[in-house]
Amino acid sequence: MNILVCVKQVPNTEELKVNPDAGTSNLDSIPRVVSTFDTYTLETAVKLKDDDASIKVVVVTVGSDKAKEALKSCLSVGADKAYHVNDAAFEDIDSLATSFVLSLAVKEIEKREGAAFDLVFLGRQANDTDAGQVGPQLAEYLGYPQLTYAREVSIVDGKVRANRETEDGYIVMDATIPAVVTVTKTEYEPRYASVKTKMAANRAEIPVLTAADLGSEASTIMSPGKVLKTYIPARKTGGVKIEEETGELSAEKLTALLSDAGVI
């Protein structure tokens, strides 16, 4: 079985500082890391490989030269191979264009690997945009069934099974293979790299795929989505914090306040 894990390098949000006047941040000065949900996604794929040594895990990202570090990070924690989609034509593209580029990359990597991918994994959403669109869009481009918000993934009777997180709890769903699966935060934490695996990852050869490598369709890429403005939402002021000794007393205090304000 072959698994492709699509990852994204994003600014480390723990170190993100926004200029309140301009509503922007100097992203170039912020360290970049693999998006949080992508780390859980890769761990999910590697755990499947732990249970079945015949499984091969390949990672891919669309990004600038800096994104190579994200791929090295993935190789250091269990990925077998990495591909870097890097071309000036793909800079600042939106979710729809990214999913289209990835669909072309999937087919090109399959050619180079000499085998089709049984599963394509993605994080449920990226830390920087929180859009959560690339996974479902990629499934549509590939024509594959999709399982989203997977908290746990397994292979059962030749199908992929996901324990899916929902607003009301969890549901278990199966899909035929090949399929696209988006992964949310799992019960297990992503593993850490060792000095040995980091050194091996630094020595690994990471093929670069350009627009020319992806074929003539890559030249048709357009991004319908545009960022018009970024800003910090205004903080709400006022409000009353009620902390009485018991819930009953708090309810009585709240009722009195609402009555005095003419709300009830």
Side-chain angles (χ1 to χ4, degrees):
M1 173 173 284
N2 298 301
I3 302 175
L4 179 66
V5 181
C6 304
V7 301
K8 184 178 184 181
Q9 187 189 58
V10 298
N12 187 342
T13 54
E14 294 182 358
E15 300 188 32
L16 183 65
K17 295 181 180 179
V18 179
N19 182 330
D21 296 323
T24 59
S25 176
N26 182 9
L27 298 180
D28 292 335
S29 65
I30 301 173
R32 304 181 81 83
V33 295
V34 178
S35 186
T36 302
F37 288 115
D38 293 347
T39 64
Y40 287 101
T41 303
L42 179 60
E43 178 63 23
T44 299
V46 175
K47 283 179 69 68
L48 289 173
K49 188 179 77 167
D50 290 341
D51 296 333
D52 183 352
S54 68
I55 291 178
K56 184 176 183 179
V57 177
V58 179
V59 293
V60 64
T61 192
V62 179
S64 64
D65 294 343
K66 295 179 181 179
K68 187 176 181 180
E69 293 304 314
L71 295 174
K72 289 181 179 180
S73 174
C74 293
L75 290 170
S76 71
V77 290
D80 298 299
K81 194 166 183 179
Y83 284 86
H84 186 185
V85 181
N86 185 7
D87 196 290
F90 304 149
E91 290 182 6
D92 300 322
I93 56 177
D94 66 3
S95 298
L96 185 62
T98 299
S99 58
F100 180 61
V101 170
L102 283 173
S103 71
L104 299 178
V106 169
K107 299 306 180 184
E108 178 61 25
I109 296 172
E110 287 179 335
K111 288 181 188 177
R112 298 191 180 205
E113 291 295 308
F117 289 108
D118 302 283
L119 297 172
V120 179
F121 283 1
L122 304 91
R124 76 175 221 190
Q125 63 196 63
N127 289 8
D128 53 357
T129 62
D130 281 336
Q133 298 172 340
V134 174
Q137 289 170 347
L138 177 57
E140 287 297 310
Y141 277 125
L142 293 174
Y144 293 173
Q146 58 180 292
L147 296 172
T148 56
Y149 288 81
R151 190 175 175 86
E152 184 178 347
V153 179
S154 58
I155 307 301
V156 180
D157 297 330
K159 294 183 178 182
V160 58
R161 174 170 294 176
N163 184 336
R164 296 185 64 245
E165 185 177 55
T166 70
E167 293 181 356
D168 301 318
Y170 300 96
I171 58 175
V172 177
M173 293 184 66
D174 291 353
T176 57
I177 292 173
V180 171
V181 181
T182 69
V183 179
T184 187
K185 185 175 181 180
T186 60
E187 295 181 356
Y188 41 81
E189 291 297 316
R191 66 194 69 192
Y192 291 98
S194 66
V195 174
K196 182 178 180 180
T197 59
K198 284 183 178 180
M199 292 177 63
N202 285 330
R203 293 193 300 267
E205 180 181 350
I206 300 178
V208 175
L209 302 179
T210 65
D213 294 321
L214 300 187
S216 59
E217 287 183 283
S219 64
T220 66
I221 292 170
M222 296 181 64
S223 294
K226 302 293 181 183
V227 177
L228 300 179
K229 180 182 178 181
T230 58
Y231 62 94
I232 301 174
R235 288 181 175 272
K236 292 184 178 181
T237 58
V240 177
K241 190 173 183 179
I242 300 174
E243 290 183 315
E244 300 298 321
E245 293 183 1
T246 66
E248 289 79 4
L249 290 175
S250 294
E252 290 177 3
K253 179 69 176 292
L254 174 60
T255 302
L257 290 172
L258 292 175
S259 178
D260 292 342
V263 177
I264 58 174

